Amino acid sequence: MAVEPDSPDEFETIDRLFKPLSEGAPEAQGLMDDVAVLPARMGQDLVVTKDAIVEGVHFLETDPLDLVARKLLRVNLSDLAAKGAEPYGYLLSVSWSKRCGWPEREAFAAGLALDQKQYGVFLFGGDTTSTPGPLTCSLTAFGWIPHGRVVSRGGARSGDLILVSGSIGDGVLGLAASRGELSALEPARVEALVKRYRLPEPRVTMAKLVRENASASADVSDGLIADVGHIAEASGLRAMINLEAVPLSRAARAWLAKRVDPAEALLDLASGGDDYEIVCCARADRAETMIRVAQDHGDLTVIGHLVEGEGVAVSYMGDPMRFQRAGWRHR
Ligand code: ADP
Ligand code: MG
């Protein structure tokens, strides 16, 4: 039966757009069976994570769907990397909204195809529906790790250093930039920030380094301070963060240079979310190794350490900052 070009059919969507993304892998059964089949690997654990995104909540109706799809995949790969796992593949559930005709669906699939190549993953299967409501997608990513080696949030020890990958703050600045709120910055900087917000770069190449050296690790998605707080709580320790050590991109440094109060501005960057970096802990000698090796793929920077106690303490140039309901502020 012929399908109207402007009214995509569920089965044709699967056949035309999703089947190629399974890359003929046996796990996917050609997307023609009721299930996918993942063969067990001796001596390895399967690490699983899931994130869902909703139009109007996590992205705008005007956002290009190739970028929406890529970000959905990437935020999940970021979780796997933070645990030290190597990406394997993913399941995808999509509820298309009314605006999703063939061009939109094709863009969505094309975005996934691009990132599958970059990160070496493929599609195992999923579910496809339509909705009168907003476009909603959910992705479950699978990764492998040697048995028992997953790096939890709870393994840090007193005296461990806290390290963060790449740079912090571009997520929250990118969101502001995409809302047109950073017009004082040079256009090239604004563009870099918007790009980083729309298309984070998960630290997949750091997974091995993390699993071989880190005592605890988390993905930075809620905001650096909050995510360090998760590690401190799970490890039963107190985290000491030096704000001035938090690594920034060139665009974020340009933004910071225009702020009256650098400590408050750094707090905003360290409290904003959507960075998709890795924050991890390691003994000093291990941290040294990690920093040296990480130079080849995105850098790691020491931003603090852990001590006995609980909670998170934040300081700027040795001055303690205090936390209010509105966020972190000067003491
Ligand atoms: P079921 O009726 O058992 O739910 P479906 O008709 O939904 O089966 O799916 C048929 C096949 O297509 C399955 O292999 C399923 O995994 C795959 N599939 C459906 N939707 C998607 C999707 N969004 N992404 C990947 N595979 C999908
Ligand atoms: Mg189904």
Side-chain angles (χ1 to χ4, degrees), residues 121-180:
V121 291
F122 59 95
L123 185 56
F124 293 146
D127 201 28
T128 306
T129 53
S130 295
T131 171
L135 169 59
T136 303
C137 339
S138 153
L139 193 148
T140 305
F142 297 77
W144 290 110
I145 195 163
H147 175 61
R149 297 291 298 278
V150 81
V151 185
S152 71
R153 292 176 174 181
R157 271 163 298 192
S158 179
D160 281 357
L161 298 179
I162 304 171
L163 303 106
V164 69
S165 67
S167 58
I168 291 297
D170 286 11
V172 65
L173 289 179
L175 175 60
S178 61
R179 289 174 174 157

Side-chain angles (χ1 to χ4, degrees), residues 78 164-168 196 203 218-220 275-279:
S78 178
V164 69
S165 67
S167 58
I168 291 297
R196 172 87 186 265
R203 299 294 172 183
D219 158 63
V220 185
D275 292 306
Y276 303 106
E277 295 289 357
I278 293 174
V279 63

